[in-house]
């Protein structure tokens, strides 16, 4: 050794020579440089440690292939070392090394990994590792390591590379300026915890892992290919992280199972999605995240299954808030707020999807878009201020219920391109600029029932080039067109026949000729289903179901001197006879029919659908009438009959005005009635 003193720095430099190519230490030795010793390895190894309980501290080590190497040297402590200009590792531990602790070390300008460790039980704390030709920290086969409060930056490859390791914690670290990933974990590794750390400016992903049982908490992951890329990685939780400015998606979940992503803020994915789940991933939970301003969509689920997306705020995406593609299935989307997107939720070749309790608004196209989607439930959502509220194409088995769909620039609900087997039930669909509900282009085999369809700019329910749509017990009012309009547009005057060129095959509506309000909540109703003026029914409509409504024409409901609906309140239903005629008394419950109110009705045929509303007719009480009881009775000579005569007024008051109520036909009096 050749100690040299530098008065300028106050430090002593010891340079290794060919006589001493490394320093061996006995067990239980402390080497303390006091902050004033520099060891220049002169391209030789400096400390090669095979002993135990070695502490080396307060030294500067340089110009060595490996300044500090542990070879089955257990319980080592390195403290406050400055290590630089190595041709190989900064610090090395072989596979037989245990319990190495590294505190407050600065390692830079390294020929390979800053720390290369194959042993177990490693602690790295308060250290700074930079400018290596390979990477910051490499662990292989390590069981239990904690890397805390350490800065790792400017490496040609990874910041931290973990291989076949277990029980690793990375806490409070800052990792940046990397030629590859920030943290790279292989598929043999497990139980990896990354907490309170920042990773940024990685050429590849901030974190890429194929390991099992991962926990990533409170990390900020920015400016890379992605923030987190899980590949064949199972049972992972990502929570309370902030991820932004990635050239691909912010979180990539590929072929991974049982992944929870919660409480994260995710934005500025520059060419893809906030979260992209694909390649057969399953059991995915995305909850309570804020996902916004990503280049395509907020969340994309592609070819994956069993996904729950809940309680997120998803906004400001040019395409979809949530996109489901590639036969993804078993997806639940609930309690999300989704706004300022192209589509709120888009299912494009997907099935078994439920969306409920979402609030979706300010979308450019559809609140919910279904294309070749099957087994879909959309319920209790608020969908407003977009173009079409819910739009389905080439989709089937769709249940749209209990939603509030309003204020959209086109239609509330539109099913088209042969969408079949649907229920549109108990929704409130109002104030949309075009129609409330549109069924078109061969969309059939559905029910539109129990909805409140109010104040839409166009038609309430419009059936175009479609059939077998039952429209039942809806509340209409104030729609700009007809309440129900089967193509062609406007009232399809009855022609007594079905006609395949018309919506719902041009079912004729009922012509009610008389509707009388009677005592005891009873109405008497007569009429037929056939060409107006025919006076008799058409068997084409035999046994059809007729639904009665209180009617109130708003705009667009009157033509040819008559008004047709809109049916504002369902009253009751009954069936026509085999000839398409009806003449009956009905007891009405639950609805009050004021004297003079207007009544309209629809016809529904099984397998064909429902008609438009028929012409409105006033329901009147019988004013000041007299009723005789019995009304018809056959009697023979010598018999006698008792009868009663009752007078009624408009208000339902009655008087018994029977006077001589006991008469006999007397043969001896020439067959005349005589009083007894
Ligand atoms: Ca109208
Ligand atoms: Ca029509
Ligand atoms: Ca017809």
């Amino acid at each position: 050794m050749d100690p040299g003193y530098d008065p300028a720095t106050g430090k002593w430099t010891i340079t290794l020579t060919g006589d001493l190519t490394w320093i061996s230490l006995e067990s239980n030795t402390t080497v303390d440089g006091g902050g004033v010793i520099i060891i220049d390895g002169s391209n030789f190894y400096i400390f090669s440690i095979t002993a135990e309980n070695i502490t080396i501290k307060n030294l500067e080590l340089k110009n060595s292939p490996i300044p500090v190497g542990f070879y089955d040297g257990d319980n080592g402590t390195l403290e406050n070392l400055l290590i630089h200009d190595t041709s190989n590792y900064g610090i090395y531990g072989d596979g037989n090394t245990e319990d190495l602790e590294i505190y407050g070390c600065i390692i830079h300008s390294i020929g390979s990994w800053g720390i290369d460790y194959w042993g177990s039980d490693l602690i790295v704390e308060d250290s700074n590792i930079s400018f290596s030709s390979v990477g910051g920290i490499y662990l292989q086969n390590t069981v239990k390591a904690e890397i805390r409060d350490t800065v790792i930056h400017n490496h040609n490859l990874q910041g931290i590379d973990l291989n076949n390791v277990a029980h690793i914690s990375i806490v409070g670290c800052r990792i940046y300026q990397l030629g590859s990933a920030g943290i790279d974990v292989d598929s043999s590794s497990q139980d990896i915890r990354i907490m309170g750390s920042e990773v940024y400016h990685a050429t590849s992903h901030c974190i890429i892992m194929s390991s099992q049982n991962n926990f990533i908490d409170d990390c900020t992951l920015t400016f890379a290919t992605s923030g987190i890329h899980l590949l064949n990685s199972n049972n992972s939780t990502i929570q309370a992280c902030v991820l932004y400015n990635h050239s691909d998606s912010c979180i990539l979940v590929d072929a991974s199972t049982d992944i929870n992503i919660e409480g994260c803020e995710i934005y500025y994915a520059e060419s893809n999605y906030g979260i992209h789940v694909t390649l057969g991933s399953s059991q995915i939970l995305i909850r309570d995240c804020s996902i916004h301003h990503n280049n395509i969509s907020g969340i994309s689920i592609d070819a994956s299954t069993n996904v729950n997306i809940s309680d997120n705020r998803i906004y400001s995406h040019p395409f979809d808030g949530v996109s489901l593609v590639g036969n993804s299935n078993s997806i639940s989307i609930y309690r999300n707020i989704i706004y300022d997107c192209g589509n709120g939720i888009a299912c494009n070749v997907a099935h078994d999807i439920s969306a409920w309790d979402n609030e979706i608004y300010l979308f450019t196209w559809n609140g919910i878009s279904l294309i070749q989607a099957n087994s879909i439930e959309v319920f209790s959502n608020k969908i407003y201020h977009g173009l079409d509220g819910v739009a389905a194409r080439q989709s089937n088995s769709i249940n749209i219920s209990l939603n509030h769909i309003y204020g959209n620039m086109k239609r509330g609900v539109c099913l088209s391109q042969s969408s079949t087997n649907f229920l549109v039930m108990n929704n409130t669909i109002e104030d949309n600029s075009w129609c409330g509900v549109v069924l078109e282009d061969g969309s059939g085999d559905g029910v539109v029932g129990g909805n409140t369809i109010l104040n839409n700019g166009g038609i309430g329910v419009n059936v175009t080039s479609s059939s077998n749509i039952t429209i039942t017990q809806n509340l209409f009012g104030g729609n700009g067109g007809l309440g129900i309009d089967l193509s062609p547009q406007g009232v399809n005057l009855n022609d007594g026949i079905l006609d395949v060129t018309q919506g719902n095959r041009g079912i004729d509506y009922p012509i009610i000729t008389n509707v009388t309000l009677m005592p005891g909540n009873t109405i008497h109703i007569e009429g037929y289903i056939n060409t107006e003026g025919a006076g008799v029914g058409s068997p084409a409509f035999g046994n059809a179901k007729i639904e009665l409504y209180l009617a109130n024409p708003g705009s667009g409901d009157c033509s040819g001197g008559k008004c047709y609906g809109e049916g504002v309140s369902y009253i009751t239903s009954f069936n026509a006879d085999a000839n398409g005629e009806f003449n009956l008394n009905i007891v009405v419950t639950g609805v009050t029919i004021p004297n003079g109110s207007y009544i309209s009705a629809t016809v529904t045929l099984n397998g064909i659908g429902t008609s438009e509303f028929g012409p409105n007719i006033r329901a009147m009480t019988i004013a000041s009438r007299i009723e005789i009881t019995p009304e018809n009775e056959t009697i023979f000579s010598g018999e006698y009959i008792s009868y009663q005569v009752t007078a009624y007024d408009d208000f339902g008051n009655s008087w018994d005005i029977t006077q001589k109520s006991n008469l006999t036909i007397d043969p001896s009096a020439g067959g005349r009635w005589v009083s007894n």
Side-chain angles (χ1 to χ4, degrees):
M1 287 193 276
D2 176 22
Y5 181 69
D6 181 354
T9 61
K11 292 189 175 179
W12 295 85
T13 296
I14 299 168
T15 302
L16 299 192
T17 69
D19 300 335
L20 178 62
T21 55
W22 68 82
I23 300 169
S24 293
L25 299 170
E26 299 291 321
S27 291
N28 306 307
T29 300
T30 295
V31 177
D32 186 345
V36 295
I37 305 292
I38 301 167
I39 300 178
D40 183 337
S42 186
N43 297 320
F44 297 114
Y45 295 80
I46 300 177
F47 292 106
S48 292
I49 297 161
T50 56
E52 302 195 348
N53 296 317
I54 300 299
T55 297
I56 302 172
K57 59 186 182 181
N58 304 321
L59 271 174
E60 180 175 338
L61 308 173
K62 64 180 184 182
N63 298 331
S64 169
I66 302 176
V68 184
F70 287 85
Y71 306 89
D72 195 15
D74 298 338
N75 294 309
T77 301
L78 304 178
E79 197 175 324
N80 196 26
L81 301 181
L82 172 59
I83 296 173
H84 60 96
D85 293 291
T86 76
S87 57
N88 203 331
Y89 312 122
I91 296 169
Y92 173 76
D94 76 357
N96 296 316
T97 302
E98 295 176 15
D99 293 307
L100 174 61
E101 300 182 4
I102 300 170
Y103 301 107
C105 292
I106 297 171
I107 303 169
H108 69 83
S109 306
I110 305 298
S112 180
W113 294 94
I115 297 173
D116 184 78
Y117 192 73
W118 296 59
S120 291
D121 289 287
L122 172 70
I123 292 174
V124 179
E125 186 176 293
D126 279 326
S127 293
N128 189 313
I129 304 167
S130 63
F131 295 98
S132 76
S133 309
V134 183
I137 298 177
Y138 180 93
L139 302 185
Q140 172 97 34
N141 305 338
T142 301
V143 176
K144 196 163 184 281
E146 293 180 31
I147 302 169
R148 299 190 293 246
D149 301 318
T150 289
V151 181
I152 299 170
H153 63 99
N154 290 89
H155 299 291
N156 280 359
L157 294 177
Q158 298 96 327
I160 298 175
D161 190 13
L162 305 178
N163 297 278
N164 190 36
V165 298
H167 306 295
I168 308 297
S169 294
I170 298 168
V171 182
C173 292
R174 194 147 57 87
I175 303 170
Y176 59 96
Q177 293 296 358
L178 305 154
S180 179
I183 300 171
D184 186 339
V185 189
D186 81 343
S187 62
S188 321
S189 296
Q190 57 180 322
D191 299 315
I192 310 299
R193 300 169 70 84
I194 304 171
M195 297 180 290
S197 294
E198 284 180 62
V199 184
Y200 52 97
H201 289 142
T203 303
S204 170
H205 310 272
C206 286
I207 299 173
I208 178 168
M209 51 205 329
S210 300
S211 45
Q212 319 306 310
N213 305 329
N214 307 294
F215 182 76
I216 303 173
D217 175 45
D218 189 28
C219 291
T220 300
L221 307 170
T222 60
F223 296 97
T225 302
S226 78
I228 299 171
H229 183 191
L230 302 178
L231 175 61
N232 293 306
S233 174
N234 304 318
N235 191 20
S236 297
T237 293
I238 300 167
Q239 67 178 32
C241 292
V242 179
L243 307 97
Y244 59 88
N245 277 99
H246 295 291
S247 60
D248 197 313
S249 297
C250 288
I251 297 180
L252 285 162
V253 179
D254 289 351
S256 297
T257 296
D258 196 5
I259 308 298
N260 289 2
I261 302 171
E262 301 188 60
C264 295
E265 184 169 10
I266 298 166
Y267 56 102
Y268 296 157
E270 289 160 7
S271 66
N272 266 321
Y273 313 100
I275 299 175
H276 190 192
V277 176
T278 187
L279 295 174
S281 294
S282 67
Q283 296 181 59
I284 310 297
L285 170 68
I286 301 170
R287 199 178 72 86
D288 193 28
C289 293
S290 178
I291 303 170
H292 58 94
H293 292 100
N294 297 290
N295 186 258
I296 294 182
S297 299
I299 298 173
S300 172
I301 310 296
D302 184 357
S304 294
T305 184
N306 198 350
V307 180
N308 277 12
I309 300 171
S310 78
D311 301 287
N312 300 289
R313 291 178 66 86
I314 303 169
Y315 57 97
S316 299
H317 296 103
F319 289 88
D320 309 323
V322 178
S323 165
L324 310 177
V325 299
N327 268 317
S328 288
N329 63 85
S330 304
I331 315 281
S332 296
I333 304 170
Y334 53 97
R335 292 196 307 260
N336 300 285
I337 295 173
I338 304 174
Y339 61 95
D340 189 27
C341 295
N343 295 305
I345 298 171
C347 306
N348 195 338
V349 188
H351 62 96
D352 292 288
I353 312 299
S354 294
W356 73 92
D357 287 344
N358 299 290
E359 186 166 352
I360 303 172
Y361 56 100
L362 285 176
F363 41 89
T364 312
W365 305 306
N366 310 136
I368 295 180
S369 168
L370 307 173
I371 299 173
Q372 295 180 40
N374 304 319
S375 298
I376 308 295
E377 292 188 335
V378 175
F379 58 96
S380 300
N381 300 286
K382 281 172 74 173
I383 302 172
Y384 57 98
H385 295 171
L387 201 63
D388 286 326
V390 179
R393 283 168 275 178
Q394 300 171 44
S395 297
N396 62 60
S397 297
I398 304 164
N399 186 344
I400 301 169
S401 296
L402 294 165
N403 301 287
H404 190 187
I405 302 170
Y406 61 97
N408 295 295
M409 286 189 287
K410 286 189 174 177
R411 296 152 287 214
V413 175
C414 180
L415 305 182
S416 65
Q417 297 180 19
S418 303
S419 293
T420 60
N421 189 12
F422 53 81
L423 299 173
V424 179
M425 305 292 290
N426 302 315
N427 301 285
T428 298
I429 301 170
E430 59 187 345
D431 297 314
N432 299 291
S433 299
W434 292 13
C435 301
V437 179
V438 176
L439 303 317
E440 64 184 11
D441 297 336
S443 296
D445 304 326
V447 179
V448 179
N451 301 288
T452 298
I453 300 173
L454 292 176
N455 301 323
N456 296 291
I459 296 156
V461 176
N462 188 19
V463 178
T464 301
S465 305
S466 298
S467 70
N468 194 20
I469 294 156
T470 298
I471 303 164
T472 178
Q473 299 191 34
N474 299 287
L475 186 162
F476 291 93
N479 295 297
L482 294 172
I484 300 171
D485 196 345
L486 313 180
S487 59
Q489 194 168 337
V491 176
N492 297 9
L493 292 173
N494 279 0
D495 54 11
I497 58 169
L498 295 169
D499 177 350
V500 293
T501 68
Q502 299 184 8
N504 270 353
R505 296 174 64 182
I507 298 181
D508 286 11
Y509 46 69
I511 307 292
I512 301 172
T513 54
N514 176 22
V515 53
T516 303
L517 303 179
M518 298 172 60
N521 295 320
T522 301
I523 59 172
H524 176 77
I525 185 158
E526 296 173 32
Y528 59 90
I529 312 166
N530 200 351
T531 308
E532 186 139 8
V536 296
S538 164
F541 308 104
N543 303 310
K545 181 182 175 188
I546 295 169
E547 287 191 356
L548 282 188
Y549 292 81
L550 287 170
N552 185 17
S555 61
D557 303 311
C558 302
S559 62
K562 293 181 179 174
C563 297
Y564 300 81
E566 304 177 18
V568 298
S569 184
Y570 171 75
I571 300 170
T572 188
S573 68
F574 56 89
N575 282 23
D577 66 19
N579 295 318
E581 298 173 5
F582 47 95
N583 183 343
L584 70 167
N585 291 348
I586 304 171
V587 177
V588 172
T589 56
V591 180
T592 300
I593 305 174
N595 186 23
S597 56
Y598 284 92
I599 301 290
S600 184
T602 60
V603 169
T604 298
L605 275 178
N606 276 342
I608 306 292
T610 299
S611 72
E612 298 178 353
F613 284 107
N616 301 341
I617 182 171
R618 290 191 94 169
M620 306 290 284
T621 55
I622 300 169
S624 305
R625 72 191 186 280
I626 291 172
E627 290 185 0
I628 301 171
T629 307
E631 193 176 356
N632 293 296
E633 188 73 34
T634 301
I635 57 173
F636 298 95
S637 292
E639 290 181 338
Y640 68 88
I641 181 170
S642 291
Y643 62 93
Q644 183 175 351
V645 180
T646 307
Y648 293 90
D649 68 5
D650 277 353
F651 303 99
N653 301 309
S654 64
W655 295 268
D656 185 348
I657 56 169
T658 312
Q659 292 177 340
K660 293 178 179 178
S661 60
N662 196 344
L663 299 174
T664 300
I665 295 173
D666 182 359
S668 66
R672 292 176 298 167
W673 293 93
V674 296
S675 177
N676 292 311

Short mmCIF file of all heavy atoms in Angstrom, two decimals, residues 478-483 554-557 566, ligand 1:
data_model
loop_
_atom_site.label_atom_id
_atom_site.label_comp_id
_atom_site.label_asym_id
_atom_site.label_seq_id
_atom_site.Cartn_x
_atom_site.Cartn_y
_atom_site.Cartn_z
N GLY A 478 -96.60 14.46 -24.10
CA GLY A 478 -95.81 15.60 -24.56
C GLY A 478 -94.74 15.28 -25.57
O GLY A 478 -93.83 16.09 -25.80
N ASN A 479 -94.79 14.10 -26.18
CA ASN A 479 -93.80 13.80 -27.21
C ASN A 479 -94.17 14.52 -28.50
O ASN A 479 -95.35 14.64 -28.84
CB ASN A 479 -93.73 12.28 -27.41
CG ASN A 479 -93.21 11.58 -26.17
OD1 ASN A 479 -92.09 11.80 -25.75
ND2 ASN A 479 -94.08 10.77 -25.54
N GLY A 480 -93.17 14.96 -29.27
CA GLY A 480 -93.42 15.77 -30.45
C GLY A 480 -94.15 15.02 -31.55
O GLY A 480 -94.89 15.61 -32.33
N GLY A 481 -93.98 13.70 -31.63
CA GLY A 481 -94.72 12.89 -32.59
C GLY A 481 -95.78 12.08 -31.89
O GLY A 481 -96.22 12.42 -30.78
N LEU A 482 -96.22 11.01 -32.52
CA LEU A 482 -97.19 10.12 -31.89
C LEU A 482 -96.56 9.45 -30.66
O LEU A 482 -95.34 9.28 -30.59
CB LEU A 482 -97.61 9.03 -32.87
CG LEU A 482 -98.39 9.48 -34.11
CD1 LEU A 482 -98.58 8.31 -35.07
CD2 LEU A 482 -99.74 10.06 -33.71
N GLY A 483 -97.40 9.05 -29.74
CA GLY A 483 -96.89 8.27 -28.62
C GLY A 483 -96.26 6.99 -29.14
O GLY A 483 -95.11 6.67 -28.81
N GLY A 554 -100.90 15.79 -27.35
CA GLY A 554 -100.06 16.99 -27.31
C GLY A 554 -99.82 17.41 -28.74
O GLY A 554 -100.75 17.47 -29.54
N SER A 555 -98.57 17.61 -29.10
CA SER A 555 -98.29 17.94 -30.49
C SER A 555 -98.14 16.66 -31.31
O SER A 555 -97.72 15.63 -30.78
CB SER A 555 -97.02 18.78 -30.57
OG SER A 555 -95.93 18.04 -30.08
N GLY A 556 -98.50 16.73 -32.55
CA GLY A 556 -98.22 15.64 -33.49
C GLY A 556 -99.14 14.45 -33.38
O GLY A 556 -98.90 13.42 -34.00
N ASP A 557 -100.20 14.54 -32.58
CA ASP A 557 -101.05 13.37 -32.36
C ASP A 557 -102.38 13.47 -33.11
O ASP A 557 -103.17 12.53 -33.07
CB ASP A 557 -101.31 13.19 -30.86
CG ASP A 557 -100.02 13.06 -30.09
OD1 ASP A 557 -99.17 12.26 -30.52
OD2 ASP A 557 -99.85 13.78 -29.09
N GLU A 566 -101.78 10.85 -27.01
CA GLU A 566 -100.92 9.84 -26.42
C GLU A 566 -101.56 9.24 -25.17
O GLU A 566 -102.26 9.93 -24.45
CB GLU A 566 -99.56 10.47 -26.04
CG GLU A 566 -98.87 11.14 -27.20
CD GLU A 566 -97.56 11.82 -26.81
OE1 GLU A 566 -96.99 11.52 -25.75
OE2 GLU A 566 -97.11 12.67 -27.58
CA1 LIG B 1 -97.32 13.78 -29.40
#
